[in-house]
Amino acid sequence: MTMLHREPAVRSDRIPTPTDQRLAGIVDRVLEGTRLSREDGLLLYDTEDVHTVCALADLVRRRMHGDITWFNINRHINYSNICALSCSFCAFHRKRGDEGAYEYSIDQIREEAIKASEAGATELHIVGGLHPWLPFDYYTSMLQTINEVAPKLHIKAFTAVEIVHLQKISKRGRLKYQGTVEVLKDLIDAGLGSLPGGGAEVFDDRVHNEVFKTKIRSDEWLDVHKAAHELGLNSNTTMLYGHVDQRAERITHMEILRKQQDHTLRDWAVAQGINDVPGDVVLTGDAGKYPMNRLPAPGHDGLDTGYFQTIIPLPFFPDKSVLEHLPGPSGLENLRTLAISRLMLDNMPHVKAFWIMQTLDMAQFMLQNGADDIDGTVVWYDITHVEGASTHQETTVGDLQRAIREAGFIPKERDTLYREVERTGSEWKLASAEK
Ligand code: V47
């Protein structure tokens, strides 16, 4: 893996004097590269001085990634919207026989994989509902078929919620954690490359009971990702906020993720002599105290496991859900939440502004306030339809690059594991391949 060595693009003198004096300590800690506390997180939400919150997030983002913004060329496949659950925030789920209920056949998935590969995509992002009747071998056949027809495509598939469902239907493993490991091994053998971050929602029992009671709880979600990391898979994480959750509960969510990532990265950090390990693994500090822009791919530079690559804050989109009466978060709340995620999640290499849920216009602001990744070309997306979008939610590479440049950054294409991609038309290879 190639480490990019460059000087931090933002100097401390670019941080304006806070108009809220209570932020002075936080400014010092961010400049020092010291971990922020829960109280700091709450204050970042409480303050009216959003400008300073965003400027701090931008400083950290530029320390880690300089002027680069990552994007990828991908396709989403939502293989079925039939779901045994009926979460009140979700407008995607249908029951069998409902109008609009669908499931892809393996032949349809094969076709989509061929089309994606011919178009030069590097990734398929595959998620769906908890289908009550599809057997376990539907899922392994799906992965095997994609691998056969498009072996270069990285398959990022199945949220932790789906993995637990697959564990149940595959009847593998009498012990819960061991069962997760076994089902993941089967999926890896069939071609699974990483886990997406969906289904995390907000790690809080009160919120869980109110809006997604039948879904797995935070401990199970975290265990699936732990097992994936132990097996060498990378994964992402999300936070679906702005419905019935309180801001303090979002900070709890961030603290829980940070703690799990500390555990995952501690051995690697000790091997690298980073920070004051064992303890916090802070990657957002000054140059020299952390690997300049990102963690190595699993299996490199003393890192034996996978890890969380990216936090993707997802603003709740109320339309057509049971919670349609709620307003959803405002643009400013989205910006603040993204900036706070960057500041609190100091051991998460990347922060993604998923343009489909933020809109491309808003995602541009987010790049200037903590995000270093905008996701990809997507093409088909059925889970949310922001601003009345159809399922065809595609943007071109040109549009992504233009949006990134206009926001003041240099667009760089990545693969799913954040390795730089070199491309001529639909032909691509990893930039590190020739080095
Ligand atoms: O799991 C569902 C959320 C997630 C709504 O890993 C909603 O790279 C807002 O996880 N309003 C799917 N959000 C999206 C997701 C994702 C997206 C892009 C990249 C990655 C990645 C992951 O969307 C679901 C759920 O948490 N969701 N309904 C809604 N009404």
Side-chain angles (χ1 to χ4, degrees):
M1 114 109 207
T2 326
M3 292 278 188
L4 300 180
H5 291 282
R6 67 178 91 80
E7 289 304 309
V10 165
R11 297 185 314 274
S12 55
D13 56 15
R14 293 247 324 247
I15 294 297
T17 309
T19 53
D20 180 348
Q21 289 313 307
R22 297 176 303 160
L23 294 179
I26 294 181
V27 172
D28 289 346
R29 283 189 278 290
V30 171
L31 293 176
E32 283 162 11
T34 310
R35 175 159 288 185
L36 300 183
S37 66
R38 176 178 179 80
E39 289 63 41
D40 290 336
L42 295 172
L43 184 51
L44 290 168
Y45 264 124
D46 186 61
T47 182
E48 286 180 13
D49 187 2
V50 186
H51 193 54
T52 298
V53 177
C54 288
L56 289 170
D58 184 52
L59 179 138
V60 164
R61 177 253 195 264
R62 287 177 193 266
R63 268 182 183 168
M64 297 181 87
H65 305 287
D67 292 337
I68 286 171
T69 290
W70 299 101
F71 70 94
N72 71 345
I73 299 188
N74 65 351
R75 296 285 182 279
H76 284 238
I77 299 181
N78 301 132
Y79 57 87
S80 176
N81 60 358
I82 300 174
C83 189
L85 308 182
S86 308
C87 301
S88 53
F89 64 83
C90 175
F92 170 64
H93 66 88
R94 298 283 183 285
K95 298 296 170 206
R96 206 177 209 183
D98 279 359
E99 201 189 329
Y102 69 86
E103 64 205 27
Y104 276 41
S105 67
I106 298 295
D107 282 344
Q108 282 172 302
I109 286 170
R110 179 186 294 110
E111 269 172 46
E112 290 303 319
I114 293 171
K115 275 195 265 171
S117 165
E118 286 175 353
T122 59
E123 170 190 280
L124 279 185
H125 178 148
I126 306 177
V127 293
L130 306 189
H131 196 294
W133 295 286
L134 287 174
F136 183 58
D137 67 9
Y138 169 85
Y139 301 89
T140 48
S141 302
M142 177 196 296
L143 299 173
Q144 281 156 354
T145 303
I146 295 167
N147 250 338
E148 274 160 30
V149 296
K152 264 180 99 182
L153 274 178
H154 177 106
I155 309 174
K156 179 176 77 175
F158 311 132
T159 62
V161 192
E162 288 163 276
I163 299 289
V164 170
H165 175 68
L166 299 188
Q167 188 177 334
K168 282 183 191 145
I169 61 170
S170 68
K171 301 192 172 60
R172 270 174 185 76
R174 290 212 309 270
L175 297 172
K176 219 171 183 189
Y177 189 73
Q178 192 52 32
T180 308
V181 169
E182 284 173 21
V183 85
L184 282 170
K185 277 185 178 166
D186 286 345
L187 296 170
I188 292 169
D189 286 347
L192 181 69
S194 62
L195 295 188
E201 322 315 9
V202 176
F203 295 148
D204 179 86
D205 285 349
R206 184 197 68 80
V207 181
H208 184 274
N209 290 343
E210 207 169 322
V211 285
F212 38 92
K213 194 169 182 162
T214 48
K215 232 175 181 174
I216 57 172
R217 282 186 187 276
S218 51
D219 51 346
E220 277 186 279
W221 190 97
L222 291 161
D223 270 356
V224 170
H225 284 257
K226 180 168 177 268
H229 296 162
E230 282 173 4
L231 292 169
L233 293 190
N234 273 3
S235 70
N236 295 331
T237 177
T238 52
M239 176 175 76
L240 166 54
Y241 65 92
H243 35 88
V244 303
D245 53 305
Q246 309 284 319
R247 286 162 150 189
E249 289 156 350
R250 296 178 210 161
I251 297 293
T252 305
H253 184 91
M254 294 178 205
E255 283 187 302
I256 290 173
L257 284 171
R258 193 167 70 173
K259 195 165 161 208
Q260 175 138 332
Q261 181 89 323
D262 271 347
H263 283 291
T264 307
L265 295 182
R266 196 164 293 155
D267 290 345
W268 167 78
V270 171
Q272 300 294 309
I274 295 172
N275 296 316
D276 304 321
V277 284
D280 308 343
V281 182
V282 181
L283 303 175
T284 51
D286 215 353
K289 284 193 195 160
Y290 63 101
M292 272 306 285
N293 72 329
R294 56 196 159 128
L295 292 167
H300 290 79
D301 297 342
L303 187 59
D304 295 328
T305 66
Y307 51 88
F308 288 121
Q309 309 182 116
T310 317
I311 167 76
I312 309 145
L314 298 173
F316 170 57
F317 182 69
D319 284 23
K320 301 200 166 61
S321 75
V322 171
L323 300 177
E324 199 164 25
H325 56 282
L326 296 177
S330 68
L332 194 61
E333 188 68 5
N334 290 342
L335 207 58
R336 189 199 287 263
T337 299
L338 182 115
I340 295 176
S341 302
R342 178 60 288 167
L343 291 168
M344 291 298 287
L345 287 166
D346 54 30
N347 52 16
M348 206 62 80
H350 301 279
V351 175
K352 186 186 286 190
F354 182 40
W355 67 267
I356 293 240
M357 288 201 201
Q358 301 283 3
T359 75
L360 199 49
D361 294 345
M362 193 68 195
Q364 285 186 303
F365 281 109
M366 294 186 158
L367 297 180
Q368 300 180 341
N369 296 283
D372 63 279
D373 182 13
I374 200 164
D375 203 73
T377 42
V378 179
V379 185
W380 301 103
Y381 195 71
D382 204 19
I383 296 177
T384 51
H385 300 92
V386 173
E387 291 179 350
S390 69
T391 303
H392 185 201
Q393 303 192 51
E394 179 172 6
T395 192
T396 64
V397 173
D399 283 345
L400 284 178
Q401 290 177 330
R402 206 169 16 258
I404 292 168
R405 285 207 186 91
E406 205 179 85
F409 294 93
I410 300 164
K412 259 208 193 319
E413 187 183 340
R414 62 167 177 85
D415 75 345
T416 309
L417 302 179
Y418 288 85
R419 295 172 299 190
E420 193 179 336
V421 165
E422 281 175 1
R423 162 178 307 277
T424 316
S426 59
E427 295 297 317
W428 64 273
K429 65 174 191 248
L430 292 180
S432 56
E434 59 189 6
K435 286 172 191 152

